[in-house]
Amino acid sequence: MDLQKLIKQTEERNPGQPLYNQAVREVLETICDFVNEHPKYDHYKIVERLLEPERIVKFKVTWVDDKGEIQVNRGYRVQHNMAIGPYKGGLRFHPTVTEDTMKFLAFEQTFKNSLTTLPMGGGKGGSDFDPKGKSEGEVMRFCQSFMTELQKYIGPDTDVPAGDIGVGGREIGFMYGQYKRLRGEHVGVLTGKGLEWGGSLIRPEATGFGAVYFLEGMLAAKKDTLKGKRCIISGFGNVAWGTALKLAELGANLVAISGPDGYIIDEEGISTPEKIAYMDELNATRNNVVAPFAEKFASAKFIPGKKVWEVPCEIAMTCAIQNELNGDDAKALIANNVKYVVEVSNMGCTAEAVAELQKAGISFAPGKAANAGGVATSGLEMTQNAAHLGWTAAEVDAKLHGIMNSIHDNCVKYGTEANGYINYVKGANIAGFIKVADAMIAQGIAY
Ligand code: 2IT
């Protein structure tokens, strides 16, 4: 493959879509040598074929707000690749959602899902609907209208959406109810469902738990452990919550979390059940501010308008949104002697940040490897639904742990460089690529 030609072609074919171009560029740069060592991939034009989603569905979502006014939003579902299983990936409700956001996330999802070892293709969807300040009735009416259109394109064997930013158990419930009402089927068409109606234990915790299991692998590779390590994370939503829970359980010292309004620093540690439960409570309001945490706990201080990456730490984890850690943030972390940086949000770091961290020899994990525990546990929910049974928390957690270990092993296998540095970005991209590419070759020229 001709790297520069493909990067240029992607830019020309996807103008005004910087996120998609960023995600593609990172993958192309890291798989290039591997692809060129295996001519079959060029022969079957696998890379070129992966750069075009199989289908993009874009639709209108109209709904009526509490004042009786009609509102119009945009809905999306990008079905990127179905080679190894039904399309699978979350739904994001956030005002920043565009076709570009959906395309980059669906592209990442294909590689991530391939890494999980489970049979899931890649997809992503969502809307520019802003849950902030909306009443329960407004959220329900929006979800019902959104699903009325989306249901035409999904199904338990074709495409199985789940949650993402702005979509939690409540929204999944409203959407599942509408799917059932329209189709008359109680099937595993969404994951992240409530426990009483087909959900899986550990799914709410899974993204954070999985990320910490992956981090343990990174530490073990350096003969290091988590105990007592000073950690900071961005965000305070579902992913940050699961991460905080597992960090506390394993004896790490989490001292900072953040929101769009600033960050919280708590030198006594964000590790008690009360503090971690309050993160969840704050997130449930969907008001998107972390400041109230400092009003509730005396040991916590709120620093308004600043990014959390200025806090000295050994471990930093992005748990909020894409490109939240830039080149300057990476330099600040490096100056403060950070040792491990884990992307838990999808593409949480800019390309400049990744380059800075890798240049400094910092152990860095990309989101598609470190956050794969969420979708992996969704895959386990699909298995339980298909078999009409439910596993115990211990069973699901053990499977999740095994999957994260296997992803770490694969990153080491394909990402270890001559000097011993583990390039997790390269390892994850190559390992994720191989399975999808070989399945596409086997299935002929279909997509
Ligand atoms: O980014 C992600 O992997 C998710 N939002 C979870 C997707 C899923 O299908 O559970």
Side-chain angles (χ1 to χ4, degrees), residues 12-29:
E12 283 165 5
R13 285 173 68 81
N14 304 274
Q17 300 194 331
L19 297 170
Y20 183 66
N21 278 286
Q22 180 186 343
V24 166
R25 192 186 181 116
E26 179 211 277
V27 168
L28 294 184
E29 283 173 349

Side-chain angles (χ1 to χ4, degrees), residues 188-410:
V189 68
L190 297 176
T191 59
K193 299 185 290 299
L195 281 181
E196 308 80 3
W197 39 282
S200 174
L201 286 160
I202 306 293
R203 178 64 191 89
E205 295 88 346
T207 310
F209 278 20
V212 179
Y213 295 148
F214 193 88
L215 168 63
E216 279 193 297
M218 296 166 77
L219 287 149
K222 290 184 156 283
K223 312 234 173 319
D224 205 350
T225 67
L226 198 51
K227 200 123 207 105
K229 285 273 184 314
R230 188 176 162 90
C231 304
I232 63 171
I233 63 184
S234 58
F236 64 100
N238 165 265
V239 171
W241 166 80
T243 302
L245 265 180
K246 190 51 86 175
L247 287 175
E249 185 190 321
L250 298 177
N253 181 27
L254 175 64
V255 295
I257 56 174
S258 74
D261 52 333
Y263 70 86
I264 294 288
I265 178 144
D266 186 342
E267 292 292 350
E268 282 182 17
I270 301 169
S271 49
T272 61
E274 296 73 36
K275 286 178 185 172
I276 297 174
Y278 188 63
M279 286 170 74
D280 205 22
E281 220 177 287
L282 259 186
N283 181 37
T285 68
R286 295 263 188 265
N287 283 330
N288 235 3
V289 285
V290 78
F293 196 96
E295 291 154 28
K296 174 114 176 146
F297 301 103
S299 54
K301 218 168 91 187
F302 176 60
I303 314 292
K306 289 289 186 71
K307 289 169 89 173
V308 74
W309 314 123
E310 66 182 26
V311 176
C313 65
E314 293 161 284
I315 298 172
M317 305 175 82
T318 69
C319 299
I321 201 163
Q322 68 270 5
N323 288 335
E324 52 174 316
L325 196 160
N326 64 27
D328 289 339
D329 300 325
K331 283 184 198 155
L333 285 166
I334 294 164
N336 282 328
N337 287 319
V338 74
K339 293 195 176 64
Y340 304 87
V341 177
V342 184
E343 256 185 5
V344 196
S345 45
N346 291 306
M347 205 165 77
C349 297
T350 64
E352 293 73 31
V354 177
E356 289 291 343
L357 293 165
Q358 291 184 329
K359 194 172 73 188
I362 309 292
S363 191
F364 169 75
K368 62 171 80 73
N371 76 25
V375 73
T377 307
S378 278
L380 300 176
E381 183 172 328
M382 288 167 71
T383 308
Q384 293 170 80
N385 292 165
H388 303 284
L389 51 73
W391 292 325
T392 64
E395 279 174 291
V396 178
D397 195 35
K399 287 186 166 66
L400 167 64
H401 208 147
I403 288 168
M404 297 315 295
N405 286 345
S406 124
I407 298 174
H408 188 271
D409 290 348
N410 256 318

Side-chain angles (χ1 to χ4, degrees), residues 61-321:
V61 188
T62 36
W63 56 284
V64 181
D65 70 18
D66 287 347
K67 295 195 210 85
E69 266 184 51
I70 298 165
Q71 299 285 342
V72 181
N73 284 101
R74 287 182 174 169
Y76 304 89
R77 187 69 181 168
V78 176
Q79 298 178 326
H80 180 259
N81 189 285
M82 209 201 214
I84 65 171
Y87 304 110
K88 181 85 195 86
L91 297 171
R92 175 175 296 189
F93 293 168
H94 195 265
T96 59
V97 163
T98 59
E99 188 174 316
D100 182 26
T101 323
M102 299 287 99
K103 273 173 73 179
F104 112 71
L105 288 163
F107 178 79
E108 291 278 293
Q109 199 80 42
T110 292
F111 291 83
K112 183 197 308 195
N113 293 4
S114 167
L115 286 171
T116 65
T117 73
L118 302 175
M120 300 183 291
K124 196 84 186 191
S127 173
D128 59 358
F129 173 77
D130 186 358
K132 191 172 171 174
K134 301 290 190 296
S135 71
E136 186 182 85
E138 288 176 326
V139 170
M140 184 175 75
R141 290 193 296 280
F142 174 80
C143 286
Q144 290 177 337
S145 182
F146 182 84
M147 183 51 90
T148 300
E149 188 64 23
L150 184 70
Q151 58 92 19
K152 297 173 187 167
Y153 311 101
I154 62 175
D157 297 317
T158 49
D159 187 352
V160 183
D164 192 80
I165 296 170
V167 179
R170 179 181 69 167
E171 292 74 17
I172 291 292
F174 293 155
M175 287 190 275
Y176 193 74
Q178 184 72 352
Y179 181 89
K180 216 159 47 66
R181 177 192 199 182
L182 292 167
R183 304 277 287 253
E185 296 165 356
H186 198 300
V187 292
V189 68
L190 297 176
T191 59
K193 299 185 290 299
L195 281 181
E196 308 80 3
W197 39 282
S200 174
L201 286 160
I202 306 293
R203 178 64 191 89
E205 295 88 346
T207 310
F209 278 20
V212 179
Y213 295 148
F214 193 88
L215 168 63
E216 279 193 297
M218 296 166 77
L219 287 149
K222 290 184 156 283
K223 312 234 173 319
D224 205 350
T225 67
L226 198 51
K227 200 123 207 105
K229 285 273 184 314
R230 188 176 162 90
C231 304
I232 63 171
I233 63 184
S234 58
F236 64 100
N238 165 265
V239 171
W241 166 80
T243 302
L245 265 180
K246 190 51 86 175
L247 287 175
E249 185 190 321
L250 298 177
N253 181 27
L254 175 64
V255 295
I257 56 174
S258 74
D261 52 333
Y263 70 86
I264 294 288
I265 178 144
D266 186 342
E267 292 292 350
E268 282 182 17
I270 301 169
S271 49
T272 61
E274 296 73 36
K275 286 178 185 172
I276 297 174
Y278 188 63
M279 286 170 74
D280 205 22
E281 220 177 287
L282 259 186
N283 181 37
T285 68
R286 295 263 188 265
N287 283 330
N288 235 3
V289 285
V290 78
F293 196 96
E295 291 154 28
K296 174 114 176 146
F297 301 103
S299 54
K301 218 168 91 187
F302 176 60
I303 314 292
K306 289 289 186 71
K307 289 169 89 173
V308 74
W309 314 123
E310 66 182 26
V311 176
C313 65
E314 293 161 284
I315 298 172
M317 305 175 82
T318 69
C319 299
I321 201 163

